[in-house]
Amino acid sequence: MRPAKIATLWTVLALVGCGGEKGETLATDTATSEASSTTASSGASETSTSSADPTGAPTTSTTSTSATATSTDPGTTAGTDTPDTGDPGVPSCGNPWHFATGKEPTTLIYVRTSGADGPDCGGEDSPCQTIEAAAAKATPGTGIRLVGDTFGPDIFVSDLAGTADAPIWIGGEFGQFPTIAGGGEGLHLSRVRHVVIHDLAIMDATANGINVDDGGAVDDPEATRFVAFERLFIHDIGEGGNQDCLKLSGVNDFWVLDSQFERCGAGGSAIDHVGCHRGLILGNLFANNGGNAVQTKGGSEDIEIRGNTMLDCGQRAVNMGGSTGFEFFRPPLTQDGDNAEARNIRVVSNLIQGGETPLAFVGCVDCLAAHNTIIRPQHWLLRILQETVTDQQFTFAPASGGRFINNLVVFDRADISTYVNIGGDTAPETFTFTTNLWYAADAPDQSSPAGDLPVPETGAIAGEDPLLINLTDNFYPTPASPAVGSGTPLPEVAADRNYGCWNDPPSRGAYELIR
């Protein structure tokens, strides 16, 4: 997809709210049109009218349908934010807000490749030439505004600090998508706070598209904190190895919203987390990625991956946990207790289509996969693995306490080896399976994974046609679907894939039936 196509779509999204209707994620030349075509079926839309707690962490829990927002402690993700859609029959839940919501720059510093760096650069008629020069002049409340088509790569910015009341923005005009192309990395930020990266295209970097880190301060949770990524198009990254479109290391309190990630390294991730905490990944499109759409490891905790579309995302569309060198853990590993690759990762209300396996619990403790619609994985329906194990120096908790609830899984039995792949050094007996719907489209009588599940499932539906609109590109349930109204209520799951509030009882899968 060319940036011009994205700009056109984001102009449409601007008319319906901060992120548009949830089904209107960026389209992709190689993907199905499900994201845009099904939105009209749901009738759900988003209109953000609430204000943000300027120091709050990502809000991921919604319990009210009022238009008020409850402030949160910066170190938690509890709270509410449920703007009124304007239609009392279609309440909206789970809308994102963050430190910059409702704010605008008070000063603009313009950057053009035809500009010239200097002490007086930055005006619209006398732009700076480089982002680095603009960043050196930026103070809280500044918007660094990129103007033009293509900028050179390997941009490095450190120690950039806005405030809760006056963030710093880096990006193009809304929907314009100036491009950073080539080089080793597109953009690298280190030790930053209260910064928004927005409306950019990053392409053709050999290492990472955007890299944000804490400057190696692995024991300082304040080093890089409060960072938002909005409306990015990162694609064609890496040289076939373990390279990532968006690499985050030691980033705390962050948001990745309404962006698109394609072809992010044959062995890498669209978004790779190492020791990141309190994040929300919402409303993004991931397509044709070799390793993962999202990976959370290295001590990562309290990250919600919600309402995204993942199409053909490689070996493990979402890798909850992974394998990390000991020196890279954030916080640093302790010899006095159980360490873990990841804890409390929540994968909810996503559409995951194709790829080898949609979800893998890999050394992940107390992690949740709920209300996902999973379509035709190519090898396994689920994996429970352990890659980082206890040694003489450090004790590691096994993959344990995982929950797999209210998911709707459609597959072809001919494509699946074992339904669930369970590796050694895990604690599968501690997992919970509740009210999932399993349907083998080519062999309905072979739909049940019960023989491969580590524990009995409660309330499973297996072998019944889910009666979706179709099994090709429109995965909404019809009113007669056995998924409708048969799920288990989960207060911690804020919304369906379209910001719709769940009924009581909720439907299984990523989409609630609008009644």
Side-chain angles (χ1 to χ4, degrees):
M1 175 188 293
R2 294 180 175 87
K5 185 175 181 181
I6 302 176
T8 300
L9 179 56
W10 282 114
T11 300
V12 174
L13 296 186
L15 300 177
V16 294
C18 117
E21 288 195 358
K22 198 58 184 344
E24 291 186 301
T25 331
L26 304 182
T28 170
D29 294 334
T30 58
T32 68
S33 61
E34 183 276 338
S36 59
S37 66
T38 58
T39 302
S41 302
S42 75
S45 64
E46 173 199 2
T47 305
S48 181
T49 60
S50 64
S51 60
D53 172 3
T55 61
T59 293
T60 60
S61 175
T62 302
T63 57
S64 170
T65 57
S66 69
T68 60
T70 300
S71 299
T72 65
D73 181 274
T76 72
T77 57
T80 62
D81 181 34
T82 54
D84 187 353
T85 64
D87 179 355
V90 185
S92 180
C93 290
N95 292 283
W97 55 262
H98 55 69
F99 59 91
T101 300
K103 299 182 176 69
E104 294 183 356
T106 55
T107 302
L108 291 177
I109 298 177
Y110 289 89
V111 181
R112 285 182 178 269
T113 56
S114 60
D117 292 342
D120 298 323
C121 75
E124 191 168 6
D125 296 328
S126 57
C128 299
Q129 184 181 49
T130 66
I131 295 174
E132 291 94 334
K137 299 166 64 70
T139 57
T142 297
I144 299 173
R145 183 62 47 82
L146 278 62
V147 182
D149 293 328
T150 303
F151 291 79
D154 298 310
I155 300 161
F156 179 77
V157 175
S158 66
D159 300 291
L160 187 65
T163 67
D165 293 327
I168 292 174
W169 290 261
I170 302 175
E173 292 279 359
F174 182 85
Q176 293 300 307
F177 293 90
T179 297
I180 299 172
E185 292 185 320
L187 174 64
H188 189 160
L189 303 177
S190 186
R191 299 186 304 276
V192 299
R193 290 174 62 92
H194 292 103
V195 172
V196 182
I197 310 299
H198 65 96
D199 296 284
L200 287 174
I202 314 286
M203 59 183 290
D204 296 334
T206 58
N208 303 302
I210 296 180
N211 188 350
V212 183
D213 64 37
D214 54 13
V218 298
D219 57 351
D220 182 4
E222 301 293 328
T224 291
R225 192 175 178 198
F226 302 115
V227 185
F229 306 88
E230 297 183 302
R231 300 180 301 279
L232 304 178
F233 180 32
I234 309 180
H235 63 99
D236 296 291
I237 299 299
E239 296 184 314
N242 184 19
Q243 295 93 33
D244 308 311
C245 275
L246 177 58
K247 185 171 186 64
L248 306 177
S249 303
V251 180
N252 297 316
D253 303 295
F254 65 95
W255 296 255
V256 184
L257 308 174
D258 298 320
S259 296
Q260 178 170 330
F261 303 87
E262 287 197 60
R263 298 179 295 279
C264 301
S269 303
I271 305 177
D272 182 70
H273 304 83
V274 178
C276 299
H277 308 87
R278 299 180 301 278
L280 178 62
I281 299 171
L282 174 64
N284 305 286
L285 172 63
F286 303 89
N288 302 305
N289 295 303
N292 321 103
V294 183
Q295 177 170 247
T296 58
K297 61 178 186 175
S300 293
E301 185 171 355
D302 191 5
I303 295 173
E304 183 162 300
I305 303 159
R306 171 162 55 89
N308 304 284
T309 297
M310 304 177 189
L311 306 175
D312 295 321
C313 285
Q315 300 167 12
R316 307 167 188 175
V318 183
N319 207 38
M320 293 177 274
S323 177
T324 309
F326 290 174
E327 69 273 25
F328 300 116
F329 273 78
R330 293 147 164 104
L333 296 172
T334 175
Q335 295 181 332
D336 299 327
D338 283 348
N339 301 287
E341 281 283 352
R343 298 179 188 271
N344 188 22
I345 308 300
R346 303 178 300 281
V347 183
V348 297
S349 304
N350 301 283
L351 169 64
I352 308 175
Q353 185 173 6
E356 287 194 11
T357 189
L359 300 159
F361 296 79
V362 188
C364 200
V365 178
D366 296 333
C367 296
L368 171 67
H371 281 295
N372 300 290
T373 292
I374 296 167
I375 304 294
R376 290 191 165 94
Q378 298 163 1
H379 204 153
W380 298 283
L381 308 183
L382 174 68
R383 305 187 75 181
I384 301 172
L385 305 172
Q386 189 76 18
E387 294 175 344
T388 304
V389 297
T390 296
D391 67 3
Q392 293 181 345
Q393 187 176 11
F394 298 111
T395 299
F396 281 88
S400 55
R403 293 180 293 156
F404 194 83
I405 301 174
N406 292 342
N407 299 287
L408 190 158
V409 186
V410 175
F411 60 101
D412 290 323
R413 184 65 187 91
D415 293 339
I416 299 299
S417 56
T418 55
Y419 297 87
V420 180
N421 173 225
I422 301 175
D425 299 305
T426 60
E429 71 281 359
T430 66
F431 276 63
T432 300
F433 292 83
T434 305
T435 53
N436 300 290
L437 190 156
W438 314 86
Y439 182 63
D442 63 338
D445 61 337
Q446 299 180 45
S447 297
S448 175
D452 284 345
L453 296 181
V455 294
E457 179 172 0
T458 302
I461 295 175
E464 291 189 40
D465 188 328
L467 298 176
L468 308 181
I469 291 177
N470 63 59
L471 293 180
T472 304
D473 60 6
N474 196 327
F475 307 110
Y476 281 84
T478 61
S481 170
V484 172
S486 64
T488 298
L490 291 172
E492 68 268 44
V493 179
D496 81 346
R497 187 173 165 273
N498 292 315
Y499 296 115
C501 302
W502 291 108
N503 295 325
D504 187 10
S507 296
R508 308 183 194 207
Y511 306 93
E512 184 56 276
L513 183 72
I514 302 299
R515 295 174 175 172

